[in-house]
Amino acid sequence: MNNEKINARQFLVLVTLFTIGTTILVVPSGLAAEAKQDAWIVAIVGTVIGLLVIWIYNTIALRFPNMTFIGINEKIFGKWLGKTVSLLFVSMPLLYTSILFIYNGNFLATQMMPDTPIPAFTMLMVIILVMGVRLGLETIGRSAEIFIVFFFVLFIILVVFITPQIKFENIQPVFEVDIKTILRASLYLIVTSSVNSVILLMNFPALVNQPKEAKKSFYIGNIIGGLVIIIITVLCILVLGADNTARQTYPSFILAREINVGNFVQRIEGTIAIMWFITIYFKMTLYFYASVLGIAQIFNLKHYRPLILPLGMVLADLSFTMYEDVVKQQDFDVKVTIPHSLIIGLFLPLIMLVVSVFQKETIEEKE
């Protein structure tokens, strides 16, 4: 049904962009609200714990080569229970694609073009999302290789130009919060950057040419993405201060406004906006690709492409009605998306891993 393949380098790039995703704009605020000036410590802890989650995914994937997550479910749980579990799995990327429409629209409407209605931004994003997914995984991987270069060039520019604004007193005192607070605060980062990466098992190892090399790519991509998040968080605390970072919805965007080199290089927050568009687009694309490919495999369709346009329109419409205001959006994120992600992205893979080990031992005993 799907003969598309990417190489290990392209998979590394996709993992990196997916890991960064929406976190580059919104995570520093949440971390600072919980851990104050120790937010950078939370980012480090979240990145390290996230690698344990990636280890689980790699272990499952390499036990079932040439299978997507849907196929692994049916192999472990049987046909009907496996399809039921797979439907639960597909609900996650479908929901999160719609949520990313909302994030993108809200950012553009509040920070860049307040006179433009959010549905206009959403429909434009739907168009380029549908175009990208219809072109297939190979095209997505190749384009990601190009755009990640632009991302890191802009990232380096941001870091270099904001350095003169650093105030080291903003990060003091260090280790003021306790371990319990650090672990609690790191949960959101772990979920968004690592746990949600479970949808990449729709690509790895079945659609990657070099599965063993891609295993390393999964780790390296997650580490690179984590380092970007750590650096952005540190800069927000050092330049804006913990309290100001916590109050801002998009602190890294405000961070770029602080750049002033010789009264000549100023207000280059557009760099952050471009970085955001790159990462959120590829994260959204991978979510949506996992959704349509997963549904096609669950219902044994010959190809996933007929599902792309109708599902894209449904998710766009869902994004218009999901939240009434920002407060309900934040409440939904805490009460629904985090538990939803933990169930599908952590507890389900753990159950799959345990059951697969038990099945293997049972087969070996019979032999």
Side-chain angles (χ1 to χ4, degrees):
M1 183 185 72
N2 187 9
N3 297 318
E4 299 169 338
K5 293 278 187 177
I6 57 175
N7 58 42
R9 184 183 65 253
Q10 291 167 340
F11 183 65
L12 186 152
V13 171
L14 291 174
V15 172
T16 302
L17 293 174
F18 185 91
T19 302
I20 299 170
T22 57
T23 57
I24 193 171
L25 272 184
V26 299
V27 160
S29 176
L31 298 186
E34 288 275 354
K36 306 300 180 184
Q37 68 271 15
D38 287 334
W40 63 278
I41 300 174
V42 176
I44 294 173
V45 171
T47 299
V48 173
I49 295 176
L51 291 176
L52 298 176
V53 178
I54 302 303
W55 174 83
I56 296 173
Y57 299 159
N58 270 329
T59 304
I60 293 173
L62 296 179
R63 290 178 72 90
F64 299 92
N66 303 317
M67 286 188 182
T68 65
F69 197 76
I70 304 300
I72 296 172
N73 276 333
E74 294 190 24
K75 182 74 173 180
I76 293 176
F77 298 117
K79 181 178 180 180
W80 297 111
L81 179 58
K83 286 185 180 296
T84 302
V85 172
S86 294
L87 284 172
L88 178 63
F89 165 76
V90 168
S91 71
M92 188 183 85
L94 281 172
L95 175 64
Y96 292 176
T97 302
S98 186
I99 289 175
L100 290 186
F101 283 144
I102 299 172
Y103 281 178
N104 183 67
N106 285 343
F107 170 69
L108 289 171
T110 58
Q111 302 296 325
M112 303 193 73
M113 291 178 275
D115 295 330
T116 305
I118 291 178
F121 298 127
T122 300
M123 294 312 299
L124 286 173
M125 184 60 79
V126 169
I127 292 171
I128 61 173
L129 179 66
V130 167
M131 290 173 59
V133 176
R134 281 190 65 85
L135 290 172
L137 186 62
E138 290 183 24
T139 303
I140 295 169
R142 290 171 184 171
S143 60
E145 287 182 291
I146 297 171
F147 279 102
I148 198 169
V149 175
F150 290 102
F151 175 88
F152 277 105
V153 167
L154 293 174
F155 179 71
I156 292 170
I157 290 173
L158 172 68
V159 173
V160 171
F161 284 168
I162 199 63
T163 300
Q165 307 297 326
I166 287 177
K167 299 175 183 176
F168 286 101
E169 59 269 24
N170 287 338
I171 210 168
Q172 299 171 348
V174 180
F175 292 109
E176 188 176 33
V177 298
D178 55 30
I179 297 297
K180 183 179 179 181
T181 302
I182 290 175
L183 292 175
R184 184 180 67 246
S186 67
L187 180 61
Y188 180 66
L189 175 59
I190 295 167
V191 167
T192 55
S193 63
S194 298
V195 172
N196 288 348
S197 296
V198 68
I199 65 101
L200 295 175
L201 294 181
M202 288 301 297
N203 307 326
F204 170 70
L207 305 181
V208 182
N209 286 326
Q210 307 113 333
K212 291 184 179 179
E213 289 79 2
K215 174 184 176 181
K216 298 177 184 177
S217 298
F218 215 155
Y219 287 120
I220 295 171
N222 196 262
I223 291 170
I224 294 173
L227 288 175
V228 170
I229 297 166
I230 292 167
I231 292 170
I232 287 291
T233 303
V234 169
L235 289 175
C236 286
I237 300 299
L238 287 173
V239 176
L240 301 178
D243 292 336
N244 196 16
T245 299
R247 285 195 298 267
Q248 301 293 336
T249 305
Y250 308 109
S252 56
F253 188 75
I254 304 302
L255 176 70
R257 289 180 177 174
E258 298 295 319
I259 292 175
N260 186 350
V261 180
N263 291 323
F264 178 70
V265 181
Q266 303 181 54
R267 299 296 298 268
I268 59 170
E269 59 267 26
T271 58
I272 281 286
I274 295 171
M275 292 162 64
W276 159 269
F277 295 144
I278 291 172
T279 56
I280 196 174
Y281 174 72
F282 282 101
K283 187 161 191 169
M284 188 184 300
T285 300
L286 290 168
Y287 273 141
F288 193 51
Y289 181 82
S291 303
V292 294
L293 181 60
I295 292 173
Q297 291 184 352
I298 291 170
F299 293 103
N300 299 319
L301 303 179
K302 291 183 178 180
H303 214 286
Y304 65 86
R305 284 191 171 91
L307 300 173
I308 294 174
L309 183 57
L311 271 179
M313 299 305 295
V314 168
L315 295 180
D317 185 64
L318 178 62
S319 71
F320 299 150
T321 58
M322 187 178 296
Y323 305 129
E324 294 180 9
D325 50 50
V326 176
V327 175
K328 291 189 176 180
Q329 175 184 334
Q330 294 173 342
D331 188 59
F332 186 87
D333 287 342
V334 173
K335 295 181 179 179
V336 178
T337 59
I338 291 180
H340 193 197
S341 292
L342 290 174
I343 291 171
I344 296 172
L346 183 58
F347 298 132
L348 175 58
L350 282 173
I351 293 171
M352 293 170 67
L353 185 58
V354 171
V355 172
S356 66
V357 170
F358 180 76
Q359 287 177 340
K360 183 178 180 181
E361 291 178 352
T362 302
I363 292 171
E364 290 176 350
E365 288 177 1
K366 288 181 179 179
E367 292 176 351

